[in-house]
Amino acid sequence: MGLEINTLAIIPIMAQQHHPRAIEATTKYFLTQATAAAMILFASTTNAWLMGEWEIHQLSHPLATTTVMLALALKLGLAPVHFWLPEILQGLELTTGLILSTWQKLAPFALMIQAAPTINSSLLVAIGLLSTLVGGWGGLNQTQLRKILAYSSIAHLGWMVLILQFAPSLTLLSLSLYIIMTSSAFLTLKTNNALTINTLATSWTKSPTLAALAALVLLSLGGLPPLSGFMPKWLILQELTKQGLPLSATLAAMTALLSLYFYLRLCYALTLTIYPNTLTATAPWRLNFTMITLPL
């Protein structure tokens, strides 16, 4: 019931823009979330029918646990059921996108943490690794910042699911840092009014401080060592190795390089246009194009 209220409450916020893309995104979101909710209902009914238990802590039948996991993965936008997230985020404005990327993840994640002990650990590790791979691979060919942040969200959630069964406290740490960093990224882009890489490249003329802040936030999201985004990844890799999963840790670290590549690409676009690479005198010429008519 809580999940349904959560879904229905954000739908008017998503549709308030009165733009065909926003309406399309709202419809897609509603259908996706309704499907996931129906799957959760089906899984709990199946578990009650087969095992006589209604509690989420008492999920014991493999069919019920797998269905619940896939339903929650669909709600969160984890691979392989992630296809809706980049499309929907692209159709929304940045503030609504921020709510969708942070607040809307909390309820399904709370359920996932409760259900995790009963779910097959191989399934969780597989979904986690696939999400980090898809999140890194999908963001490489994008120029739209909202789609890049959507793939970033998939990758970060993959890291959280990867460690969920072994160290839930690390998952909560990763989630907290992800929410802080994603909020910073969305709000910085909103202040710069940047929706594509090209507009990001000219944002330094409005505020060089904000451009530098955006670069730091993006590198932190990518998990570059001196910044806070590196900490959860380091701890997760350490814990995976302790649990006897060095291969999974290696694969996760390799997929993190893909994510880091497209974050570096964004920083490259930002820093190439910061003084002294570009003369201040050329800024008005680049930003305000005026048509010059010559007499025939």
Side-chain angles (χ1 to χ4, degrees):
M1 222 170 94
L3 288 173
E4 284 303 290
I5 293 167
N6 193 22
T7 304
L8 291 170
I10 200 177
I11 281 170
I13 302 172
M14 291 168 80
Q16 70 178 344
Q17 220 175 339
H18 295 303
H19 189 275
R21 286 301 301 271
I23 304 299
E24 182 193 344
T26 309
T27 313
K28 282 180 180 174
Y29 183 74
F30 174 70
L31 292 172
T32 309
Q33 298 296 310
T35 308
M39 282 172 73
I40 291 170
L41 204 56
F42 170 72
S44 57
T45 313
T46 308
N47 195 64
W49 185 29
L50 295 169
M51 313 306 272
E53 278 290 348
W54 280 104
E55 283 190 28
I56 196 165
H57 300 287
Q58 304 293 334
L59 286 173
S60 47
H61 198 272
L63 177 63
T65 53
T66 310
T67 311
V68 158
M69 183 59 209
L70 287 172
L72 291 170
L74 182 60
K75 271 207 170 285
L76 287 164
L78 287 161
V81 280
H82 65 281
F83 300 100
W84 61 273
L85 185 59
E87 293 298 320
I88 286 172
L89 210 59
Q90 181 57 29
L92 303 175
E93 58 178 18
L94 287 167
T95 317
T96 320
L98 168 61
I99 298 168
L100 191 72
S101 299
T102 53
W103 178 257
Q104 292 297 106
K105 308 282 186 200
L106 295 179
F109 228 98
L111 288 179
M112 196 180 272
I113 288 170
Q114 290 181 69
T118 58
I119 296 168
N120 184 4
S121 58
S122 305
L123 178 68
L124 281 172
V125 169
I127 286 177
L129 283 175
L130 192 60
S131 297
T132 56
L133 180 64
V134 165
W137 201 261
L140 291 181
N141 203 26
Q142 300 296 334
T143 54
Q144 298 288 334
L145 294 176
R146 284 168 293 181
K147 277 194 175 178
I148 287 175
L149 285 168
Y151 281 111
S152 151
S153 172
I154 295 166
H156 277 90
L157 288 167
W159 279 89
M160 292 173 217
V161 170
L162 194 58
I163 202 67
L164 185 57
Q165 214 166 34
F166 308 114
S169 54
L170 271 184
T171 299
L172 290 171
L173 173 71
S174 300
L175 183 63
S176 310
L177 277 169
Y178 161 76
I179 287 172
I180 292 165
M181 291 186 298
T182 306
S183 304
S184 308
F186 269 101
L187 293 171
T188 310
L189 295 179
K190 186 174 169 60
T191 313
N192 283 330
N193 201 17
L195 295 176
T196 62
I197 293 179
N198 290 342
T199 48
L200 194 66
T202 54
S203 65
W204 74 275
T205 49
K206 298 167 198 166
S207 171
T209 318
L210 265 175
L213 180 66
L216 278 174
V217 167
L218 289 167
L219 287 174
S220 186
L221 271 168
L224 210 63
L227 303 163
S228 54
F230 172 65
M231 180 177 61
K233 289 186 178 177
W234 181 25
L235 292 171
I236 287 169
L237 291 175
Q238 192 179 20
E239 186 60 34
L240 282 171
T241 315
K242 279 182 189 172
Q243 295 290 341
L245 294 167
L247 185 63
S248 300
T250 309
L251 286 170
M254 298 284 274
T255 55
L257 291 175
L258 290 169
S259 301
L260 187 60
Y261 176 79
F262 65 74
Y263 287 121
L264 281 171
R265 204 167 119 234
L266 293 179
C267 292
Y268 192 58
L270 265 170
T271 51
L272 264 185
T273 49
I274 289 177
Y275 183 84
N277 294 329
T278 314
L279 292 173
T280 321
T282 63
W285 173 79
R286 282 189 299 110
L287 293 174
N288 305 316
F289 292 103
T290 51
M291 294 296 290
I292 300 169
T293 51
L294 295 171
L296 291 170

